[in-house]
């Protein structure tokens, strides 16, 4: 597959078929992702991969915690909830398109809550990944982790698998840490769903808009 075709083939998948992903295939995708660059080659990425009964327990415990303590939304590491333009508009555009496909009317808080909760079911994907990083590393290692995640998503896409990166897993990290026995000295940075896309689900037809090159790049000395 041409790399640009893989870039186009990867889109966030938010409804999966139950078909299992064999461990060997998960390992192959992770192996491919290790080819990612990282500053001074420290390869700071750590991935906790959950399937089967463990994944089911993670889902059940996080959802139960979420119902019992809905306000427990803080990430483990500093994050700002402030958004300004042009980001607010882009975020709203995505939300409108996604909730439109899901047929969730604007302002339906109960339906919004339920749909966001689908994150913690990995959108029914059979494999859930939790990405962590040692707490004593600096911001550059978060960059490395993001690059690694994109490599992983492209390697998955090239093999016909769908993924969705999920910052939602910032929340309820106390539960995730406990269920997956994640060491205290690692930050839980984000999660990811991995599996086979349910092509019949309208939400998977979402194509998120992109801004043109001239909106973010400035050229000097050409
Ligand atoms: C770091 C990161 C966190 C994300 N968190 C979530 C999430 O929690 N839930 C979700 O449904 N999508 C999440 N997404 C997916 C984005 O909404 C998606 O990448 C964006 O809208 C562009 O669409 P595309 O991935 O289909 O190209 C996340 C993506 C990234 C890179």
């Amino acid at each position: 597959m041409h790399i640009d075709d893989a870039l186009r083939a990867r889109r966030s998948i938010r409804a999966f078929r139950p078909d299992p992903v064999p461990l060997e295939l998960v390992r192959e995708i992770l192996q491919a992702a290790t080819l990612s660059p990282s500053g001074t080659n420290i390869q700071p990425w750590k991935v906790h991969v959950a399937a089967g009964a463990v994944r089911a327990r993670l889902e059940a415990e996080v959802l139960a915690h979420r119902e019992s303590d809905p306000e427990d939304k803080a990430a483990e590491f500093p994050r700002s909830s402030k958004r300004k333009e042009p980001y607010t508009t882009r975020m709203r555009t995505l939300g409108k398109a996604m909730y439109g496909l899901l047929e969730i009317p604007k302002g339906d808080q109960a339906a919004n809550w339920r749909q966001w909760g689908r994150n913690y079911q990995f959108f029914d994907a059979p494999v859930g990944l939790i990405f962590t990083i040692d707490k004593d590393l600096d911001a550059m290692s978060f960059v490395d982790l993001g690059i690694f995640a994109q490599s992983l998503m492209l390697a998955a896409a090239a093999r016909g698998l769908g993924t969705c990166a999920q910052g939602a897993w910032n929340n309820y990290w106390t539960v995730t840490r406990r269920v997956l026995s994640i060491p205290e000295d690692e930050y839980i940075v984000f999660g990811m769903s991995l599996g086979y896309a349910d092509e019949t689900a309208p939400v998977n037809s979402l194509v998120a808009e992109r801004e043109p090159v001239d909106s973010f790049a400035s050229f000097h000395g050409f």
Side-chain angles (χ1 to χ4, degrees):
M1 196 185 235
H2 189 284
I3 190 69
D4 284 7
D5 292 330
L7 283 163
R8 266 185 289 273
R10 187 218 58 81
R11 281 190 286 112
S12 291
I13 296 302
R14 297 184 179 88
F16 289 84
R17 303 200 310 258
D19 311 49
V21 183
L23 176 59
E24 306 80 69
L25 185 51
V26 178
R27 293 187 72 93
E28 185 182 308
I29 292 165
L30 288 168
Q31 181 73 52
T34 66
L35 296 170
S36 303
S38 60
T40 59
N41 199 29
I42 66 166
Q43 305 163 67
W45 39 76
K46 290 187 175 163
V47 193
H48 301 261
V49 189
V54 176
R55 182 213 157 290
R57 192 156 72 83
L58 180 61
E59 169 182 332
E61 296 209 18
V62 168
L63 286 179
H65 177 82
R66 184 173 184 256
E67 291 302 328
S68 71
D69 190 0
E71 295 310 312
D72 177 21
K73 286 185 184 155
E76 195 178 8
F77 54 92
R79 283 200 65 182
S80 165
S81 56
K82 290 193 209 91
R83 284 273 193 287
K84 57 176 192 171
E85 291 298 349
Y87 311 119
T88 322
T89 299
R90 292 178 194 165
M91 192 172 71
R92 290 205 180 116
T93 303
L94 174 77
K96 210 169 153 198
M98 190 162 80
Y99 283 83
L101 288 167
L102 291 162
E103 297 185 12
I104 295 176
K106 194 172 176 339
D108 186 339
Q109 299 297 341
N112 280 345
W113 174 259
R114 271 197 306 279
Q115 177 56 33
W116 192 248
R118 298 277 298 136
N119 273 291
Y120 307 105
Q121 300 176 303
F122 293 107
F123 303 111
D124 297 332
V127 179
L129 301 103
I130 301 294
F131 293 78
T132 67
I133 202 161
D134 284 3
K135 285 181 180 170
D136 58 5
L137 293 169
D138 70 10
M140 284 307 286
S141 295
F142 283 79
V143 175
D144 297 336
L145 189 63
I147 291 173
F148 176 80
Q150 169 72 339
S151 299
L152 196 161
M153 291 191 282
L154 293 177
R159 290 164 175 80
L161 283 152
T163 52
C164 186
Q166 294 171 269
W169 285 92
N170 280 181
N171 303 149
Y172 320 123
W173 51 269
T174 49
V175 184
T176 308
R177 179 183 305 294
R178 176 168 46 75
V179 175
L180 298 183
S181 306
I182 296 175
E184 290 289 340
D185 62 357
E186 294 175 24
Y187 281 134
I188 294 171
V189 185
F190 57 94
M192 188 184 289
S193 301
L194 174 71
Y196 294 95
D198 175 356
E199 305 291 358
T200 67
V203 71
N204 285 340
S205 65
L206 177 60
V207 180
E209 291 178 7
R210 292 299 196 268
E211 299 296 321
V213 168
D214 288 314
S215 74
F216 63 85
S218 49
F219 300 94
H220 310 267
F222 278 85

